[in-house]
Amino acid sequence: MAARKLEPETLQRSLQTRHLGRHIVYYEQASSTNALAHALARAGCAEGEVVIAESQTGGRGRLGRSWDSPAGKNLYLSLVLRPDMSPPEAAQLTLLAAVAVADTVHAFVPQGLRIKWPNDVLLNGRKVSGILSELATEQDRVDFVVMGIGVNLNYRRHAMPPEIREIATSVLEESGREVDRRAFTKTLLENLEQHYLEVCAHGFEAVAECWNEYARIEGQWMQAKIAGQGDVIGRARGLDRNGFLLLEDTEGILRTVLSGDVSLLAGPQKRGC
Ligand code: BT5
């Protein structure tokens, strides 16, 4: 049976948002929805513009990595935001997106959900979603943010390429049920808007609290790469006021992890052991 398409007209009719997704640009196939949303934003599109593709030929991850994007099974969506924020504030929008994705996945799979800093949403330890936020700045203010979200919905493990089969999962794999991709996308856009309006009105505190609940990292031993300092091992001490991860190293010094990858460790370890 052919997969139901994510055609935007039906999605828009049911969408209960004020700004996000009021205009959706839809492609059967795109290079990268983030690249297309960038072009729209540079051409002056309104806040809330959404790009959705059924498949991507050049889906982007962070740090030059790629996002596997086969046709008709998953969600590949990019959203243009124009927040009145400084660049460090806007960097926290990735946390907001992770919380909105987690809220949405939770409605479909109530068990085994976790956020891994900064932008992975995991189900039973495997990645179900990745987020790529890209900022365009003008002097010291944000001109626009492109928030790219990929979620594996009806992606069967046996259909995944070998490179990700062991680390990735999908909502279907974890719940045993096909996902209505339109219903998922509608709920996701509504959750994104709700958190975004809250952040614009009252700041990041409430979102950071939700993020902490989903991440449950407080006190966990982790290893992170910190620019200029190499690998650092420490206990997670939550997020700082800019949304960066704090690690207390083995000497009790608090280190800030700005970007890059972190891994969970079983316990304290010394370098060179
Ligand atoms: C991310 O990067 O997790 C961000 C992914 C963002 C994708 C969306 S799709 C819509 C929008 N348009 C784009 O072009 N991008 C965004 P990162 O943390 O660097 O993770 C990338 C790594 O995840 C890869 O190196 C693989 O190991 C793994 N990976 C690739 N495809 C995957 C998939 N479909 N499911 C789970 N893991 C995947």
Side-chain angles (χ1 to χ4, degrees):
M1 193 180 72
R4 252 175 105 199
K5 295 268 164 71
L6 252 172
E7 283 146 356
E9 297 77 18
T10 335
L11 173 60
Q12 266 165 333
R13 269 199 298 276
S14 65
L15 203 55
Q16 289 179 344
T17 54
R18 265 189 277 160
H19 308 289
L20 306 197
R22 286 289 111 214
H23 191 233
I24 298 176
V25 184
Y26 170 84
Y27 292 86
E28 284 282 338
Q29 188 179 73
S31 51
S32 151
T33 55
N34 262 36
L36 294 166
H38 253 275
L40 289 170
R42 271 196 303 272
C45 76
E47 171 159 90
E49 180 108 357
V50 163
V51 179
I52 291 177
E54 291 288 344
S55 71
Q56 298 184 112
T57 52
R60 308 209 284 237
R62 293 175 307 142
L63 310 167
R65 294 190 284 241
S66 60
W67 188 255
D68 181 45
S69 311
K73 297 183 166 66
N74 301 322
L75 175 63
Y76 318 112
L77 173 152
S78 297
L79 172 66
V80 176
L81 297 175
R82 298 187 180 277
D84 181 15
M85 289 179 186
S86 66
E89 284 173 317
Q92 296 182 70
L93 292 170
T94 299
L95 305 179
L96 178 160
V99 167
V101 170
D103 286 348
T104 311
V105 171
H106 188 255
F108 290 76
V109 192
Q111 304 290 329
L113 187 68
R114 196 157 191 177
I115 294 179
K116 177 170 175 274
W117 193 85
N119 68 345
D120 291 353
V121 179
L122 309 180
L123 275 174
N124 297 313
R126 293 168 187 254
K127 186 156 166 168
V128 69
S129 168
I131 295 155
L132 177 67
S133 286
E134 298 176 306
L135 289 187
T137 56
E138 223 168 60
Q139 288 158 358
D140 59 349
R141 299 307 286 173
V142 167
D143 182 10
F144 62 84
V145 177
V146 170
M147 191 178 273
I149 300 175
V151 191
N152 296 332
L153 295 176
N154 294 321
Y155 203 4
R156 283 287 188 192
R157 182 154 302 126
H158 63 74
M160 295 177 185
E163 316 83 81
I164 65 165
R165 204 171 290 153
E166 295 308 313
I167 56 161
T169 192
S170 69
V171 174
L172 169 62
E173 282 291 337
E174 302 300 325
S175 68
R177 280 193 298 277
E178 282 267 320
V179 182
D180 178 336
R181 293 188 302 144
R182 272 184 222 153
F184 186 95
T185 310
K186 165 182 154 60
T187 310
L188 175 62
L189 286 169
E190 289 168 358
N191 286 336
L192 281 164
E193 179 164 288
Q194 188 204 324
H195 288 298
Y196 183 58
L197 294 177
E198 155 75 28
V199 161
C200 291
H202 306 293
F204 278 96
E205 212 168 304
V207 158
E209 243 169 64
C210 295
W211 190 93
N212 276 319
E213 270 173 38
Y214 279 123
R216 301 191 303 277
I217 50 165
E218 187 63 32
Q220 295 242 16
W221 286 95
M222 297 186 141
Q223 177 163 0
K225 277 196 197 321
I226 299 188
Q229 301 176 38
D231 283 350
V232 170
I233 288 170
R235 267 176 192 262
R237 293 295 179 221
L239 303 176
D240 74 2
R241 48 190 284 280
N242 290 319
F244 297 126
L245 179 67
L246 292 172
L247 282 191
E248 182 182 348
D249 72 12
T250 42
E251 271 129 46
I253 298 167
L254 268 192
R255 316 271 203 132
T256 308
V257 188
L258 301 185
S259 64
D261 292 313
V262 297
S263 39
L264 284 178
L265 300 174
Q269 295 175 15
K270 290 202 176 69
R271 232 178 279 188
C273 287

